[in-house]
Amino acid sequence: MNKIKKKLRNLLTKNNDEEIASSSLEYLYDIIQSSALDKMQHMDINDLSFLSIEYNNLENQFEQATSILKNYGIVLIKNAISEKLSDDVFENFKKIQKDFKSSDRLIRDQVTETYYIDSEGLKFKTYQEKANYSKTIFSIRNGADKGMIDVFNYDYIDKKNSSNLRKVYENPRIVDLINSASEKKYSPKNLNIYYNQDIQNTRGFHVDAYSKGKIKAFIYLTDVKDISYGPYSYVIKSNTDSEAEKLNKTFAKLSDKKHTEAFCFKIENAYPILGTKGTLVISDQAGIHRGHPQAKERERMVAVMNYEYEKE
């Protein structure tokens, strides 16, 4: 961190020209991102036990889980759902995907009685519009993460399996864990599915919002055994790193990047979050994170719950 800070400050002090400073920051942003990916590629990551507990032992490990989430920004809860439920959701999704992939109308937006395929990204202006839509939306991302399918409101097309997924997300002790770690009152909202296949151009390390206010929980529906599967990746302890937050906000103002992009963080704290199907990952989105690029012919599917805090 200190070396990165020194380089960035030297560049900004030396280059009063805004264009040169912005270009320098862009270069260093790329270096930091690639360095973190390289570090994760070569690390021995057989053991994430320091972040993990067992779902069926949640009551006994509740205080431990709360401490992990609060201090590291992320906690893994193993075996939260059965392998059968994971497989059922995956197979149902693939069946629907096969139907709309075979259509010659995929280049345009499609609507059926039960779902809407947003392939051009023009109909909905905000995340909230998608979350509040009356049908399931298959949103096919463009730009960074191009090709990734973000399924909004999966409940509408798979009620039985969605109900079983929600039982985990709405488990009072899971909600208590989140609230205890954050000291705010959160509640589960919309259920999404993320599906990645051969996604190699993923968005760099970033936060969703610097202020505490968003928690996400992911359940792996496919095994993510190694880095080639494109695991969710997280910079542990970055949820409480106020120094990095200040630097990132400052550098973002001097560059063309979004204000939530991460120029500066402890590379040694970047971890690929590996796990078997059924693993529940609870993540403070004020911490720095990204999806790792996948190898060719790899796929990953996760169920995603957004928890939002209730404003006083």
Side-chain angles (χ1 to χ4, degrees), residues 26-53:
E26 182 78 26
Y27 172 74
L28 279 171
Y29 173 87
D30 291 341
I31 290 294
I32 292 166
Q33 297 287 329
S34 61
S35 296
L37 291 177
D38 184 66
K39 177 261 182 184
M40 290 192 291
Q41 186 73 37
H42 294 96
M43 72 187 299
D44 182 8
I45 193 65
N46 294 322
D47 185 12
L48 289 173
S49 61
F50 72 103
L51 297 175
S52 306
I53 68 161

Side-chain angles (χ1 to χ4, degrees), residues 93-106:
F93 170 87
K94 295 294 282 188
K95 180 181 178 182
I96 297 170
Q97 185 197 29
K98 184 178 179 181
D99 289 342
F100 70 69
K101 256 193 169 182
S102 64
S103 171
D104 60 3
R105 296 177 298 154
L106 184 58

Side-chain angles (χ1 to χ4, degrees), residues 42-256:
H42 294 96
M43 72 187 299
D44 182 8
I45 193 65
N46 294 322
D47 185 12
L48 289 173
S49 61
F50 72 103
L51 297 175
S52 306
I53 68 161
E54 285 283 340
Y55 186 77
N56 61 9
N57 201 31
L58 175 60
E59 198 60 45
N60 293 331
Q61 294 183 289
F62 183 83
E63 295 301 327
Q64 179 185 351
T66 300
S67 177
I68 292 171
L69 179 57
K70 185 174 184 178
N71 294 320
Y72 290 105
I74 190 168
V75 62
L76 281 62
I77 304 179
K78 297 180 179 180
N79 301 308
I81 65 171
S82 68
E83 185 172 333
K84 182 180 185 306
L85 177 55
S86 297
D87 292 343
D88 286 348
V89 176
F90 181 79
E91 289 169 11
N92 185 65
F93 170 87
K94 295 294 282 188
K95 180 181 178 182
I96 297 170
Q97 185 197 29
K98 184 178 179 181
D99 289 342
F100 70 69
K101 256 193 169 182
S102 64
S103 171
D104 60 3
R105 296 177 298 154
L106 184 58
I107 59 171
R108 298 185 298 276
D109 290 353
Q110 299 178 50
V111 61
T112 72
E113 291 183 2
T114 54
Y115 61 82
Y116 186 98
I117 299 177
D118 184 27
S119 59
E120 296 183 348
L122 300 176
K123 180 177 176 64
F124 305 97
K125 303 300 181 185
T126 66
Y127 181 96
Q128 208 58 43
E129 284 183 19
K130 293 179 181 179
N132 294 335
Y133 192 61
S134 59
K135 299 179 181 181
T136 295
I137 301 172
F138 287 82
S139 180
I140 303 172
R141 291 192 183 178
N142 294 302
D145 300 310
K146 184 176 181 180
M148 171 184 168
I149 302 176
D150 187 353
V151 186
F152 284 76
N153 297 314
Y154 184 72
D155 313 58
Y156 299 156
I157 57 169
D158 192 355
K159 295 184 185 301
K160 180 181 178 181
N161 289 326
S162 294
S163 176
N164 288 327
L165 290 172
R166 279 190 172 273
K167 286 177 183 177
V168 174
Y169 291 125
E170 295 171 358
N171 180 338
R173 291 307 270 166
I174 292 293
V175 178
D176 286 347
L177 189 166
I178 292 169
N179 292 342
S180 297
S182 63
E183 299 178 352
K184 288 187 177 183
K185 188 175 182 181
Y186 283 83
S187 57
K189 298 299 181 182
N190 57 298
L191 175 65
N192 286 30
I193 297 287
Y194 291 170
Y195 176 71
N196 291 38
Q197 183 178 29
D198 302 332
I199 306 300
Q200 297 171 338
N201 180 31
T202 56
R203 183 181 175 185
F205 280 100
H206 64 281
V207 301
D208 286 1
Y210 283 111
S211 61
K212 299 280 184 179
K214 182 177 283 190
I215 299 286
K216 282 187 177 179
F218 310 89
I219 298 177
Y220 283 165
L221 301 174
T222 53
D223 290 330
V224 183
K225 298 177 181 178
D226 58 53
I227 208 158
S228 69
Y229 289 85
Y232 181 67
S233 302
Y234 197 87
V235 181
I236 60 172
K237 300 182 181 180
S238 61
N239 59 312
T240 57
D241 192 342
S242 57
E243 185 179 20
E245 177 181 335
K246 289 177 183 177
L247 287 168
N248 286 326
K249 286 179 176 178
T250 299
F251 299 143
K253 287 180 181 178
L254 296 168
S255 72
D256 294 327

Side-chain angles (χ1 to χ4, degrees), residues 254-268:
L254 296 168
S255 72
D256 294 327
K257 298 288 185 184
K258 293 180 180 179
H259 75 283
T260 51
E261 297 301 308
F263 292 80
C264 187
F265 55 88
K266 294 178 180 177
I267 291 173
E268 66 272 19

